[in-house]
Each structure stands twice: as C-alpha cells, then as structure tokens.
Amino acid sequence: MKFPDRRGYFGDYGGRFVPETLVPALQELEREFRHARRDRKFRAELDHYLRQYAGRPTALTFASTLTRLLRGARIYLKREDLAFTGAHKINNCLGQILLAKRMGKKRIIAETGAGQHGVATATVAAKFGMPCTIYMGEDDIERQALNVFRMELLGATVVPVKSGSRTLKDAIDEAMRDWVTNVRDTHFVLGSVAGAHPYPLIVREFQRVIGRETKRQILRREGRVPDCLIACVGGGSNAIGFFYDFLSCRKVRMYGVEAGGLGIASGRHAARFSGGRPGVFQGSLSYVLQDRAGQIRTTHSISAGLDYAGVGPEHSYLYETGRVRYVNVSDRKAVEGFMLLSETEGIIPALESAHAIAYAREVVPKMKKGEIVIINVSGRGDKDVEIIEKFIKNRV
C-alpha cells in the first residue's frame, strides 16, 4: 500500500490538522487499526458480520432495459442499496464499532448528512449495546425526517446542529467538539474518507469490500474487468471503496460525479474540483470550496449526502494525477437520473447515486456496444421520495 504515507498524506493531500488534545486519540486509533488489519480473529469477526448481518455480498445487477435504452455499453449496477440499512455506510460502521470495542470505548458518536451514515451508526450501536449520539444539521433533519425517526427508533439521540449552514459540515464540527471533550471513553465513527489521518485510510479500507466484490463478480460474469466505473462523490467513501481495487487496471476509466447543484456559475453547488482549491478543512488538506479570504463557502445540493464543502484527500490526489476524472451534474439532471433508473429498472436510487446515473446517461451512448460500465448504486431512495415529489410539483 503506497498511500497514505506514514504521516497520512496522499501525495500532497491529507495529514493531521487537529487540536493537540486529539493527537493521542488519533495515534491510538491508527495503532489499533494497523494491529486489527493483521489480526485474523478481527478480520474473521468483521467478515462474519458483513455476511450474516449486513447481507454481503451485494448483487451486481445487469441493467438490461437501461442498456437497451442508452444504446451503448453494457450497464451493470453494484447494488449497495441492498446492504442492510439501505446503503454502503454499514460496511464502515461495522468495522469501526469493532475497532471501538478493541479500544475499550463505551460510547459512540457520529455525524450525518443524508442520514444514511447516522442510521448505520445507530444500528451497529444498538447491536453492540453502546449509547449513541448523532449530530445532524437542522436543514438536513428537515429534509431527511424519515432517517431521523429511524435513528431514534434505534435508540440514538439525534442532536440538531443550528450553526453555520446547518448541514453536514456543521454536524462534523459539533461531533469533533464532543470528541475533544469526551475522547477517553468515546469513539467518533466518521462516515467518509475525510478528516484527519488515519480516518481517510480506515474508511477506505472498510469500504474496499465494494470494489473487491465488484471485481470478482464482473470477472465471473464477463470474464474481464470493466471499461468504465462511475460513482457519486460527496466526502467520497462509496467512490473510493468502489474504485480502489481497480486503480492498478490502467484501462479502466473512472468518473467521480460531484453535485453541480444549480450550476457552477451560480456558485450554489458542491463541486469541489470545479469550484474549489486546496485548503485545510476539518482535519486534513484537500480540495475545498472557499472564498478569497479562505473562509468556507456555503454549499448547495438537492442531495444532503453530497452537500459538503470538502472532499477526501485521496480523491484530491487522484484528481491531480488524472487517474480519476471528476465531473458534476446539476440538481435537475440528478432528478432525471433518479426517475430514469426508477422507471427503467424498478430501482429507486438515493439522490446521491442518481448523480452517477445521470452522468452515465451522457457517457454510455458514446461507448461501444461491447464495452462494460458499472455504476455504484450507493444507497436506496426511500429517504428522498418527498424531495422528488416537491421538486416535480414545483416544476409543474
């Protein structure tokens, strides 16, 4: 494993920019994670829960109707929407709560945007009998009410965050404050490949199960690796987990799809690579949406899970090396992608995943008929149906 290096850097990006009080906790977490990776008992226990509790492996579904409609490459869908709790987030949460147990932590906290990470964290906390507090922006609580109720049903305390933009960025800030205060007995289950080292490494490794399974499944089905992978990118955990095991396959093209919101020119978006620049944000150096004075800009996306000013540092490295191409699609196109997959394959995707579907609609018709594209459907869209209903009514 070349990256991150010992200091937690992916090329120029990453690192550990935190208050001194958190450094021992991060060092302990890194040490425990590296021991756990080499521990057969830990790996066997995680594999057990992934199979028997999370429902892995998830399916790789051939999208026959969508393939016929777009008249290009053969389209497969990696079905993380079929994982327990309805999204890829459960993979990382299971790994991290087993780490928390090894470290003797008694309490779990987390942040969430769309609520999928919050639900997954509340689920594993209930399973392993730990009290759980979830921080969530007030705006996200309003647009993801169903997931808030699910977290509460699972016994978690959901704390509304009323500061700043009242979205994921501010929820992470509040969770960090809690962690600084209670670091001795509390583990912070960070949900994406962002934050200070070793979180980007840990989350990537727990999400690599997506790419490993995809590689085995497509080799079994088609006898070769795909020509193209497409995934949405907020913080970037589903995408990095999906991409990582294909990075050494130079012929596999990869697209990370960010939230174009109301358009890049409008300034109301969450496309860090189109409208941002490198800066330190929430513990690491990466691409960030910021103004000329270095203040974090307010973001916008119809998808709460993509509505974030930063992006994981490994994505910044992959962007600058050109190994992954980062694009964006607007709210309107994402809704069209949501409707397209629902109507053609009977699969209602999360609005986050709908961004990847929308970009596939542009790419696939330009590909050859014998080529293969795989789209990561990172979560299911139950949580988003009210947003779609309002969007359609307002348009009418």
Side-chain angles (χ1 to χ4, degrees):
M1 183 167 54
K2 189 175 178 183
F3 292 112
D5 63 19
R6 287 186 171 276
R7 300 174 306 139
Y9 278 85
F10 303 84
D12 293 333
Y13 300 98
R16 184 181 286 162
F17 298 84
V18 293
E20 284 189 18
T21 49
L22 280 182
V23 172
L26 289 166
Q27 290 173 333
E28 178 194 19
L29 180 60
E30 181 183 6
R31 195 164 50 245
E32 199 62 46
F33 173 69
R34 293 191 185 280
H35 289 160
R37 288 185 69 208
R38 294 191 294 270
D39 184 344
R40 287 186 183 180
K41 189 176 175 184
F42 177 86
R43 295 201 307 268
E45 186 178 15
L46 177 58
D47 186 60
H48 166 78
Y49 283 110
L50 287 172
R51 289 178 181 278
Q52 301 299 324
Y53 193 69
R56 304 207 71 87
T58 58
L60 183 69
T61 302
F62 177 57
S64 56
T65 308
L66 194 57
T67 295
R68 282 197 300 275
L69 181 71
L70 297 186
R71 298 182 179 183
R74 291 167 61 77
I75 303 169
Y76 283 89
L77 308 171
K78 180 56 176 168
R79 302 290 307 282
E80 291 302 293
D81 59 313
L82 296 179
F84 182 47
T85 71
H88 69 291
K89 296 293 187 181
I90 192 72
N91 308 323
N92 170 52
C93 289
L94 280 169
Q96 286 208 41
I97 203 153
L98 293 180
L99 274 181
K101 275 180 55 189
R102 283 176 68 102
M103 293 187 290
K105 304 295 183 182
K106 306 296 184 190
R107 174 175 175 258
I108 294 298
I109 61 172
E111 87 301 338
T112 194
Q116 289 169 315
H117 175 58
V119 169
T121 304
T123 298
V124 298
K127 172 68 179 170
F128 290 90
M130 292 191 190
C132 178
T133 300
I134 307 288
Y135 291 91
M136 190 169 187
E138 205 169 45
D139 282 3
D140 290 339
I141 284 179
E142 186 178 338
R143 54 182 171 172
Q144 298 293 344
L146 175 62
N147 273 342
V148 173
F149 187 54
R150 290 172 73 194
M151 287 180 250
E152 291 172 343
L153 283 175
L154 292 160
T157 300
V158 180
V159 178
V161 178
K162 302 177 181 179
S163 58
S165 61
R166 300 182 299 182
T167 58
L168 179 60
K169 161 190 167 296
D170 309 289
I172 293 176
D173 285 341
E174 286 303 317
M176 290 288 286
R177 289 188 187 99
D178 183 324
W179 199 33
V180 168
T181 306
N182 302 291
V183 69
R184 286 190 178 179
D185 70 344
T186 298
H187 176 64
F188 178 15
V189 182
L190 190 57
S192 197
V193 286
H197 178 65
Y199 275 110
L201 166 66
I202 289 174
V203 179
R204 180 192 76 192
E205 290 299 302
F206 286 143
Q207 292 294 2
R208 280 181 63 187
V209 66
I210 305 171
R212 287 195 186 110
E213 281 179 12
T214 302
K215 203 170 193 178
R216 281 198 302 270
Q217 290 167 322
I218 198 65
L219 287 172
R220 197 179 305 131
R221 297 280 291 274
E222 296 280 356
R224 66 184 182 86
V225 296
D227 300 282
C228 178
L229 300 177
I230 305 175
C232 64
V233 178
S237 66
N238 94 87
I240 212 74
F242 185 46
F243 292 160
Y244 190 81
D245 278 69
F246 292 94
L247 288 174
S248 60
C249 305
R250 302 306 300 182
K251 65 164 287 187
V252 180
R253 303 188 297 279
M254 301 183 192
Y255 296 95
V257 187
E258 298 186 290
L262 302 182
I264 303 303
S266 75
R268 298 195 63 196
H269 61 84
R272 291 64 48 97
F273 294 118
S274 297
R277 58 190 167 86
V280 172
F281 179 55
Q282 293 187 325
S284 65
L285 175 63
S286 191
Y287 269 69
V288 183
L289 289 173
Q290 55 189 306
D291 62 22
R292 289 183 179 179
Q295 297 299 309
I296 302 305
R297 280 172 40 195
T298 302
T299 55
H300 165 82
S301 171
I302 193 171
S303 163
L306 302 185
D307 198 354
Y308 183 52
V311 64
E314 190 163 11
H315 285 289
S316 292
Y317 170 72
L318 295 172
Y319 168 73
E320 291 215 338
T321 59
R323 181 63 187 94
V324 176
R325 184 179 171 194
Y326 293 86
V327 297
N328 64 81
V329 300
S330 66
D331 287 349
R332 180 181 58 78
K333 286 188 176 180
V335 171
E336 290 173 359
F338 183 98
M339 300 301 295
L340 179 67
L341 194 66
S342 302
E343 292 171 355
T344 57
E345 298 293 337
I347 297 169
I348 299 176
L351 262 172
E352 291 82 0
S353 313
H355 284 71
I357 303 295
Y359 192 69
R361 193 177 196 171
E362 297 180 24
V363 168
V364 170
K366 299 172 186 172
M367 296 176 69
K368 297 174 184 174
K369 287 190 181 300
E371 291 189 308
I372 299 166
V373 59
I374 306 177
I375 306 164
N376 195 31
V377 182
S378 58
R380 71 186 189 208
D382 312 38
K383 65 184 179 58
D384 295 319
V385 292
E386 288 186 15
I387 296 171
I388 296 294
E389 186 181 19
K390 286 179 186 174
F391 186 93
I392 292 171
K393 283 182 178 175
N394 289 337
R395 191 170 57 179
V396 172

